[in-house]
């Protein structure tokens, strides 16, 4: 029974000292003096506001990416006990005492530090020598740009960490494939690949590129497995399903869960509310929810409503009218109907209220029981304050002359009859019920006489229209567009017969109680769509650069400047590393082409296993560089040097691959080999020298004098800040 | 084949004639009046398809006949051919092509339409031959041909004076000759091999010369050639010298020959169009000096800039306009309420500025005072000649580009303040050098704020007369936006030199016109709130284009694919993917196939793969384009999709028939399947033919219309 005691309990530990040492050095280089400078550095001003909003649980939309990265930064703030009270308004502002700078910057710095051992492991898993792997890790360690980027509250180092983790776990998984398929560790690394991929995508959409690369690699490897006649069809199917589950289903689920946590955390209304639909706004605490709480759900004949345009661009606005009329002649000489203006007004106003009227009846109150309006019903819309009918006719609109003017009808007795019948079309009606609902229904108003559709043109009217937005009847309606869709935001059942009473009623706030809840999937779809489609207009920036500038590092970004001394922080790569990475990529490309052509003529220069290694290592490192870099040439957004960092990380990993290949296969004699090793040592010391030279602008200390700064300006295009004394 | 060809041509020509005979009312609706205002704005392209493109390309045909210079975003071959067809058929180029729906009256336009219709009909035999060559199966070829004959979209598109039939003609010709050349691979360097190879090159040049979309077919042929060469390289029985010959032949026929032809097209274009016309303003000053009738033609101006000179300044960005000011002020709430400064595309007296010294106000027009040249690095003042205000900037935000500073006209009679001082610098020059008219690229730096004068390219609203915004940018990036050159230069005290020295070489003209076209293309951005066609709409035939007629009484033509055919094509793409994956996996797993099935899988993988690649190349890039897209952009891809349908259904039916052992049943299944498909296509054509041959009467959304039952999707508006 106690047989196990017969043997002594032995714990054998194998510690890879390389790995430990690298991790230690990584931590030291990234964490040293993390709190310095105690001021807002570059994009901290941008991410910081989101951290504050997380702390205050206020909802926001950030079009720069999905929320996981922001949440990680906020986690740092949460652990440090940050209360969110800091005004993130300018770069260089001193942090107040309540901001836990160290813990806010800790996570990115840790992620950056762990990239060093990850690089080592990746090259080992690619079957390169430990010496090459050590070289790769040291290059990452001494890369100034990666150090700068990881020492502040920024997302790139976290992104790079997850990307490298995904690559490493896939390689581990692939190497386990041959002898221990479906074993515990096999599953672990496979699942970790999926998890790391979705984390990378969740931090920044750039992670998608690496995810695609890994999917393609997995696809290629699986294709080779299909050709393997030893595997039965059933085991092939199992392999396929396991990969599908781990690499597609789980990442998607995780990605959804990021949004779930995001939406669960942020439940208060905030500055970005107006971007979202009314239904979404109503689901947040405060804001619109306070107003719309407890409105009647179904719009009925006699309902008093405000109509919001669904598009929300150029700003959110409500259908509006006021007593002023269109000018008889516009500035360009065209005439108008001179009837009452109908506009879209970006502020809440009593003139935004409209009453839904049944054309067949006179009364403007809701009958008992209420008769709900359904899809396809014909209604008239009466402006609450002026009791005029919404009307459109074949007159050119003020600013969009190929659309119809929309007005509130005034009878001038000039044989221009009222055309005020509108058909209600509910765009998002469900199959079972087609009743027009407050907030939830998106409605098009189709004019019965001319089949024009009520549309927000987006142009703002001149002085006579108080710069409100133009509303037109679109005749050539080409399918669905959000500018033609409206939804009811505020709603109450009208009770007053008389105009005077009604005015009082319109001025009074709506009050009733039913709460509305959107499902998580509906919220997710909407938020995701807004993140993808939101466009920031003004995109010029002093330090923006083009993708071509990055390879040669013709550009830099000044992150921070000390208010009095010359101490400053720049995003600036290690010139020696970048140049050699470019050279390595070039050599790799030329050699591969050469080998490929020669192999096609059946001349084999290197042994088969060396060729396999060359292709797989190049596929991961070179491919990683290509997929993370080339897409930027197709992008139209503002680009910065830091967008290149994931690509350059992969490119740096390529250097040892190429060097080892050169020394193994091209240096045939011993003399050559030793000369090559000497060269490598010399080159490595130059990398270290450059690192030391630029470390003052990487860490921001010590402060440099003017002449020292001038000496650092190795390229004319670098923007090193010199204070005039 | 002959019969096939003539029926197709007849269908199309008939259609063209029918379209011409029928009455067409000019759209007199009040709401459509203002459409034609901005015809030279780039946004005109956004308008033209609300009715016809014909006004656009027909007009360009007239320009060739009248030899006036114009600008278009497409290369010139298509319009040149239209012009040629018009010229040969007796059209005199006098029809104004002003607005869609104008009657042609006595003008002879049939030649131009007939030419386009003829090229459009050639697509049918081309598709037939291509599929026949690829699949060696007559039914497959016939099916592809039938699809193209009876597709309403293809018919409509080839009836009118448009570039698309010409483009598709060259595109299909290139594909056909490529396929033919591939089949000649067993006897390389034979006469027919050379013929098809060089024909491929010629068609590529043609396709590129009509529209830049031709680039995709160039890619297709390029990939095919690379594959081919890779194959040859692996063939060890071929010596390297032979391989070199193969390589050289392809370089000659597929690179050198098309490039030479393409250049020749442009040479003809610039030789024919030698008179000043509406397109001048888009090009640089040096280019304009080439055009007869342009005010820069054969003129002589003083070479170096001096104080007191009266000048115009042109922005170097494409269609950048002249620095301009006028008596109007910026409206309230937009920066300081001072005089507007804009960039204006047209020549105007308000574009004139006087160069003055910053520190002295002496009257420089006094003939006795000595001439003093402006030098690189000088600080100057620019006074607007008409209003005597100085070019001025200050730290107010610009009207549209909020991060830039506002530029205004300030001061009375030339007296302003220190915010009127600008440092003038020539790009790539040292201090103290003189500044040359037209040739110097100049940057104006605001002395007080350090910002640079530039044009943002954004159009100002009504208050700014829809001219282009001018700002002072604090970002010191060197872009054409912030560079200017001096174009007109008046100074009576200086001797004039002739501008012939400026004459650009042909290579420069070619490069410049390409830059202008590319920027023009990418400048066609959809506006906010504008409903645009999305690429995913196209294969599902989601929405067509109105070609003519809006109202019930109009004679209406609507560009929409025959839905049965298009949906068949769509289903086929899915089907093709499915059978490709199955075949590839089966082959990889080493399943033993009969010789028939092997042949079938070769057709599916190789021939189908080629065609699918063509479809992908002509479709996917549109997802990445930022410019305005239209439904008709899908038609080149649709040609490939139709050919794929022929090949795939042939393979599927053969495969199904192969399972049924008695050959009579097999043949019956095979024949029956084809007959069903053809009948389906014929019947659907009968249903939908009014789309292309014209409809009259109530709209289809009205239940009383004869087309009401055919409105299968809510988004169709015929």
């Amino acid at each position: 029974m106690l047989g196990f005691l017969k043997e002594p309990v032995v714990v054998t530990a194998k510690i890879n000292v390389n790995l430990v040492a690298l991790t230690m050095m990584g931590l030291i280089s990234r964490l040293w003096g993390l709190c310095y400078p105690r001021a807002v550095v570059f994009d901290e001003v941008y991410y910081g506001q989101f951290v504050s909003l997380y702390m205050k649980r206020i909802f926001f939309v950030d079009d720069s990416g999905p929320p996981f990265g922001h949440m990680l930064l906020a986690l740092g703030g949460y652990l440090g006990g940050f209360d969110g009270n800091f005004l993130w308004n300018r770069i260089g502002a001193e942090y107040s005492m309540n901001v836990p700078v160290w813990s806010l910057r800790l996570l990115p710095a840790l992620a950056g530090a762990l990239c060093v051992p990850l690089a080592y492991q990746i090259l080992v898993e690619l079957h390169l020598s430990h010496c090459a792997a050590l070289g790769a890790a040291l290059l990452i360690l001494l890369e100034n740009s990666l150090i700068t980027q990881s020492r502040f509250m920024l997302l790139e180092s976290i992104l790079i960490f997850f990307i490298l983790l995904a690559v490493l776990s896939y390689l581990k998984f692939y190497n386990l494939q041959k002898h221990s398929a479906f074993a515990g560790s096999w599953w672990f690394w496979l699942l970790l690949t999926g998890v790391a991929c979705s984390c990378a995508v969740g931090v920044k959409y750039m992670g998608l590129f690496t995810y695609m690369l890994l999917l393609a690699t997995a696809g290629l490897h699986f294709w080779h497995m299909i050709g393997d006649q030893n595997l039965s069809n059933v085991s092939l199917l199992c392999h396929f399903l396991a990969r599908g589950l781990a690499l597609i289903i789980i990442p998607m689920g995780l990605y959804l869960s990021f949004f779930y946590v995001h939406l669960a955390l942020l439940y208060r209304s905030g500055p970005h509310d107006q971007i979202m639909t009314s239904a979404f706004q109503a689901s947040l605490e405060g804001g619109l929810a306070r107003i719309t709480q407890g409105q009647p759900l179904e719009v009925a004949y006699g309902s008093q409503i405000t109509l919001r345009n669904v598009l929300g661009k150029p700003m959110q606005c409500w259908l509006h009218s006021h007593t002023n009329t269109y000018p008889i002649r516009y500035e360009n000489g065209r005439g108008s109907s001179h009837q009452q203006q109908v506009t879209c007004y970006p502020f809440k106003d009593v003139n935004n209220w409209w009453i839904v009227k049944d054309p067949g009846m006179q009364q403007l109150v809701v009958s008992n029981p209420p008769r709900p309006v359904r899809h396809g019903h014909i209604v008239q819309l009466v402006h609450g304050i002026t009791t005029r009918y919404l009307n459109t006719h074949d007159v050119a609109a003020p600013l969009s002359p190929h659309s119809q003017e929309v007005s509130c009808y005034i009878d001038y007795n000039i044989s221009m009859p009222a055309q005020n019948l509108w058909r209600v079309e509910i765009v998002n009606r469900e199959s079972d019920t087609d009743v027009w609902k407050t907030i939830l229904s998106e409605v098009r108003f189709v004019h019965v006489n001319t089949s024009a559709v009520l549309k927000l043109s987006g142009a703002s009217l001149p002085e006579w229209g108080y710069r409100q937005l133009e509303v037109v009847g679109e005749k050539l309606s080409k399918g669905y567009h959000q500018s033609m869709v409206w939804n009811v935001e505020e709603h109450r059942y009208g009770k007053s017969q008389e105009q005077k009473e009604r005015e009082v009623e319109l001025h009074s706030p709506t009050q009733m109680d039913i709460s509305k809840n959107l499902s998580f999937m509906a919220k997710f779809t909407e938020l995701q769509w807004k993140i993808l489609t939101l466009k920031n207009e003004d995109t010029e920036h002093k330090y923006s650069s083009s993708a071509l500038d990055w390879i040669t590092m013709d550009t830099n970004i000044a992150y921070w400047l000390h208010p009095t001394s010359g101490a400053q922080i720049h995003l600036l790569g290690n010139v020696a590393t970048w140049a050699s990475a470019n050279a390595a990529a070039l050599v790799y490309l030329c050699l591969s082409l050469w080998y490929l052509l020669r192999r096609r003529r059946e001349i084999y220069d290197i042994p088969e296993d060396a060729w396999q290694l060359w292709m797989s290592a190049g596929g991961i490192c070179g491919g990683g560089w290509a997929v993370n870099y080339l897409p930027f040439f197709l992008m139209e957004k503002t680009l910065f040097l830091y967008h290149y960092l994931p690509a350059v990380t992969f490119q740096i990993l390529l250097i040892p691959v190429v060097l080892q290949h050169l020394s193994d296969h091209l240096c045939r004699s011993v003399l050559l080999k030793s000369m090559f090793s000497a060269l490598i040592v010399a080159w490595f010391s130059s990398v270290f020298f450059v690192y030391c030279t630029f470390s003052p602008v990487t860490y921001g200390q010590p402060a440099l004098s003017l002449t020292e700064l001038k000496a650092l300006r190795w390229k004319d295009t670098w923007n090193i800040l010199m204070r005039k004394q | 084949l002959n019969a096939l060809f003539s029926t197709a041509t007849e269908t199309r020509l008939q259609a063209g004639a029918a379209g011409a005979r029928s009455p067409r009312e000019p759209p007199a609706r009040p709401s459509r009046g203002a459409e034609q205002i901005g015809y030279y704005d780039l946004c005109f392209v956004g308008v033209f398809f609300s009715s016809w493109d014909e006004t656009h390309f027909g007009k360009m045909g007239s320009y060739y006949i009248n030899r006036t210079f114009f600008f278009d975003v497409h290369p010139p071959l298509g319009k040149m051919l239209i012009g040629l067809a018009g010229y040969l058929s007796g059209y005199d180029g006098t029809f104004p092509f002003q607005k869609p729906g104008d009657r042609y009256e006595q003008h002879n336009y049939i030649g131009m339409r007939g030419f386009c219709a003829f090229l459009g009909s050639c697509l049918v035999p081309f598709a037939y031959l291509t599929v026949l060559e690829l699949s060696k199966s007559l039914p497959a070829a016939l099916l592809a041909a039938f699809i193209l004959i009876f597709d309403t979209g293809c018919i409509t598109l080839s009836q009118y004076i448009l570039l698309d039939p010409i483009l598709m003609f060259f595109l299909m010709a290139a594909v056909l000759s490529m396929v033919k050349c591939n089949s000649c691979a067993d006897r390389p360097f034979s006469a027919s091999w050379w013929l098809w190879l060089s024909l491929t090159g010629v068609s590529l040049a043609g396709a590129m010369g009509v529209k830049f979309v031709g680039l995709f077919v160039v890619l297709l042929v390029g990939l095919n050639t690379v594959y081919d060469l890779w194959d040859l390289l692996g063939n060890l029985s071929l010596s390297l010298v032979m391989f070199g010959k193969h390589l050289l032949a392809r370089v000659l026929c597929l690179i050198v020959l098309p490039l030479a032809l393409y250049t020749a097209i442009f040479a003809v274009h610039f030789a024919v169009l030698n008179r000043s016309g509406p397109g001048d303003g888009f090009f640089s000053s040096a280019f304009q000096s080439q055009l007869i009738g342009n005010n820069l033609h054969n003129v002589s101006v003083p070479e170096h800039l001096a104080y007191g000179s009266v000048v115009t300044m042109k922005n170097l960005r494409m269609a950048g306009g002249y620095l301009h000011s006028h008596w109007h002020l910026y409206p309230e709430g937009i920066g300081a309420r001072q005089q507007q400064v804009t960039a204006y595309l047209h020549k105007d007296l308000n574009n004139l500025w006087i160069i003055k010294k910053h520190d002295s106000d002496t009257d420089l027009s006094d003939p006795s005072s000595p001439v003093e040249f402006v030098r690189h690095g000088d600080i100057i003042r620019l006074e607007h000649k008409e209003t005597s205000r100085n070019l001025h900037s200050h730290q107010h935000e610009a009207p549209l580009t909020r991060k830039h500073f506002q530029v205004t006209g300030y001061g009375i009679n030339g007296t302003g303040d220190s915010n009127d001082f600008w440092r003038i610098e020539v790009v790539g020059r040292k201090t103290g050098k003189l500044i040359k008219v037209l040739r110097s690229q100049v940057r104006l730096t605001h002395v007080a704020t350090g910002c640079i004068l530039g044009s943002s390219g954004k159009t100002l609203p009504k208050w700014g007369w829809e001219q282009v915004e001018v700002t002072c940018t604090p970002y010191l990036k060197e872009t054409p936006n912030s560079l200017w050159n001096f174009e007109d230069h008046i100074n009576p005290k200086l001797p004039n030199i002739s501008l012939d020295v400026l004459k650009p070489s042909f290579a420069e003209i070619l490069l410049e016109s390409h830059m202008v076209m590319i920027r023009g293309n990418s400048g066609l951005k959809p506006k906010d709130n504008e409903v645009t066609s999305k690429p995913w709409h196209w294969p599902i035939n989601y929405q067509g284009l109105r070609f003519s007629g809006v109202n019930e009484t109009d004679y209406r033509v609507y560009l929409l694919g025959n839905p049965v055919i298009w949906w068949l094509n769509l289903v086929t793409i899915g089907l093709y993917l499915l059978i490709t994956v199955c075949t590839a996996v089966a082959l990889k797993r080493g399943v033993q196939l009969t010789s028939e099935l092997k042949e079938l899988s070769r057709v599916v993988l190789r021939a189908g793969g080629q065609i699918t690649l063509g479809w992908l190349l002509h479709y996917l890039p549109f997802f990445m384009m930022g410019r305005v897209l239209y439904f008709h952009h899908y038609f080149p891809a649709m040609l490939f999709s139709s050919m794929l349908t022929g090949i795939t259904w042939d393979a599927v039916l053969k495969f199904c028939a192969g399972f049924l052992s008695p050959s009579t049943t097999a043949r019956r299944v095979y024949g029956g399947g084809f007959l069903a498909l053809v009948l389906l296509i014929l019947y659907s054509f009968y249903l939908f033919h009014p789309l292309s041959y014209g409809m009259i009467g109530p709209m289809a959304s009205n239940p009383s219309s004869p087309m009401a039952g055919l409105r299968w999707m809510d988004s169709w508006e015929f």
Side-chain angles (χ1 to χ4, degrees), chain A residues 369-387:
Chain A
R371 289 187 301 128
V373 182
R374 291 172 191 278
H375 175 76
H377 278 191
I378 309 262
V379 300
Q380 289 170 321
L381 287 176
V382 184
H383 186 238
I385 295 295
T386 61
T387 54

Side-chain angles (χ1 to χ4, degrees), chain A residues 459-504:
Chain A
S460 67
L461 296 168
E463 221 49 75
W464 54 258
Y466 307 100
R467 310 211 165 275
Q468 297 172 5
L469 300 171
E470 184 198 33
V471 170
V472 300
E474 177 64 270
K475 269 177 96 173
L476 305 166
S477 71
K478 286 191 194 157
Y480 175 86
H481 191 265
Q482 287 192 326
S483 61
M484 297 178 202
V485 185
W486 305 79
N487 72 304
V488 172
E489 195 162 283
E490 289 172 72
H491 174 215
R492 66 168 91 83
Y493 285 154
K495 291 194 278 296
S496 357
Q497 272 305 348
E498 287 304 310
Q499 176 61 17
K500 276 275 170 258
E501 288 173 42
R502 199 152 47 230
E503 275 180 32
V504 174

Side-chain angles (χ1 to χ4, degrees), chain A residues 219-238:
Chain A
L220 189 72
H221 287 154
F222 186 69
W223 182 246
H224 290 315
M225 280 172 70
I226 291 180
D228 183 358
Q229 306 290 339
N230 300 325
L231 282 166
S232 72
N233 286 342
V234 178
S235 69
L236 260 187
L237 192 68
C238 289

Side-chain angles (χ1 to χ4, degrees), chain A residues 197-214:
Chain A
C197 279
S198 68
C199 289
V201 176
V203 173
K204 281 208 153 196
Y205 283 122
M206 261 194 82
L208 267 178
F209 300 138
T210 311
Y211 180 43
M212 290 296 150
L213 179 75
L214 286 182

Side-chain angles (χ1 to χ4, degrees), chain B residues 313-327:
Chain B
M313 287 174 70
K314 189 174 195 299
N315 192 255
L316 283 191
R317 59 176 279 133
M318 195 277 294
Y322 300 94
L323 188 68
H324 178 98
S325 184
H326 39 230
W327 280 112

Side-chain angles (χ1 to χ4, degrees), chain B residues 358-682:
Chain B
H358 74 284
D359 47 359
S360 74
D361 236 349
T362 51
D363 188 13
L364 292 157
S365 58
D366 177 16
S368 59
S369 62
V371 174
E372 197 171 342
F373 288 109
V374 183
R375 287 168 195 279
H376 173 89
D378 280 5
I379 292 177
I380 60 163
R381 232 166 359 119
L382 278 175
E383 184 184 314
H384 189 237
K385 189 158 185 271
E386 290 295 304
T387 61
S388 301
R389 302 226 193 261
N390 290 329
L391 188 72
H392 178 97
S393 181
H394 43 220
Q395 296 204 336
H396 287 271
E397 59 185 29
L400 300 177
T401 318
R402 291 293 161 85
K403 287 186 175 174
H404 294 183
F405 297 138
Q406 186 192 27
V407 176
T408 63
Y410 180 74
I412 295 166
N413 285 333
T415 324
D417 62 11
S418 63
N419 269 336
D420 302 345
F421 299 159
W422 300 82
R423 186 168 44 249
I424 185 167
E425 286 162 330
V426 183
V427 176
R429 207 67 78 71
K430 293 221 171 65
T431 327
K433 285 283 162 61
L434 299 182
I435 289 161
K436 287 180 181 162
V437 174
L438 288 164
R439 269 178 294 181
S440 293
Q441 302 189 349
V442 171
R443 186 174 47 216
L444 284 177
T445 314
H446 191 237
V447 177
T449 57
C451 60
I452 298 176
L453 185 74
S455 159
S456 69
K458 297 177 190 164
T459 310
L460 293 171
K462 277 261 162 51
W463 56 256
W465 309 96
E466 289 169 352
Q467 295 171 3
V468 180
E469 183 194 37
V470 166
T471 63
C472 195
T473 158
Y475 308 119
L476 314 176
K477 287 263 159 61
E478 196 139 293
T479 61
N481 288 7
S482 54
L483 293 178
W484 304 79
N485 72 355
F486 292 97
E487 193 168 290
D488 299 299
H489 181 203
I490 307 159
N491 194 334
K493 286 187 278 184
L494 292 174
N496 290 350
I497 57 142
S498 166
L499 279 182
D500 279 348
V501 285
L502 288 173
K503 190 180 171 191
S505 69
F506 178 68
E508 281 168 344
I509 295 179
L510 198 65
L511 190 71
E512 182 183 344
S513 59
H514 275 82
M515 293 304 286
V516 172
M517 279 189 284
I518 289 168
R519 290 203 203 134
N521 254 318
S522 56
L524 297 174
K525 290 269 160 62
K527 294 188 194 112
D528 274 353
N529 294 30
E530 196 179 41
V531 186
T532 48
S533 188
K534 301 273 185 325
W536 62 264
H537 290 171
W538 304 339
I540 54 175
N541 211 12
Y542 179 74
Q543 198 165 49
L545 269 175
R546 224 183 290 258
F547 257 41
S548 86
V550 178
N551 293 293
E552 299 199 344
T553 47
D554 288 347
Y555 176 84
R556 301 187 306 271
V557 174
Y558 189 67
L559 175 72
L560 184 75
N562 182 336
V564 173
I565 289 178
W566 284 52
W567 293 341
L568 181 71
N569 280 346
L570 190 66
V571 171
T572 310
I573 289 167
L575 188 69
Y576 174 76
L577 285 182
L578 192 74
I579 59 173
T580 313
V581 169
C582 291
T583 323
V585 168
L587 287 177
K588 188 84 183 170
R589 289 298 286 170
V591 176
Q592 292 302 314
L593 297 175
T594 61
S595 63
E596 267 175 46
L597 279 179
K598 257 191 196 137
E599 173 60 20
L600 207 58
S601 66
R602 193 201 62 81
V603 169
V604 166
L605 291 182
R606 177 85 179 91
Q610 251 174 340
I611 298 293
T612 316
L613 183 68
W615 178 73
L616 289 175
L617 281 177
H618 283 84
Y619 181 43
L620 292 190
F622 287 103
F623 283 96
M624 287 185 285
M625 281 188 199
R627 59 162 285 178
V628 182
L629 297 173
Y630 298 101
F631 178 53
H632 68 114
H633 287 152
Y634 183 65
F635 277 84
M638 187 265 172
L639 296 177
F640 286 99
S641 176
S642 307
M643 290 193 278
L644 187 68
T645 307
I647 293 176
T648 311
W649 282 98
D650 180 55
V652 168
L653 287 174
K654 267 187 188 153
F655 183 73
C656 292
F659 271 118
L660 307 163
S661 46
S663 61
T664 45
T665 345
R667 220 178 295 145
R668 222 174 280 154
V669 167
Y670 184 68
F674 262 109
L675 201 65
L677 281 175
V678 169
L679 285 180
L680 185 72
I681 291 168
L682 276 175

Side-chain angles (χ1 to χ4, degrees), chain B residues 285-301:
Chain B
S285 318
F287 182 88
Q288 292 181 31
S289 68
Q290 299 274 292
L291 298 169
I292 302 171
N294 189 293
N295 61 351
L296 288 177
H297 184 67
N298 274 346
V299 293
S300 43
V301 295

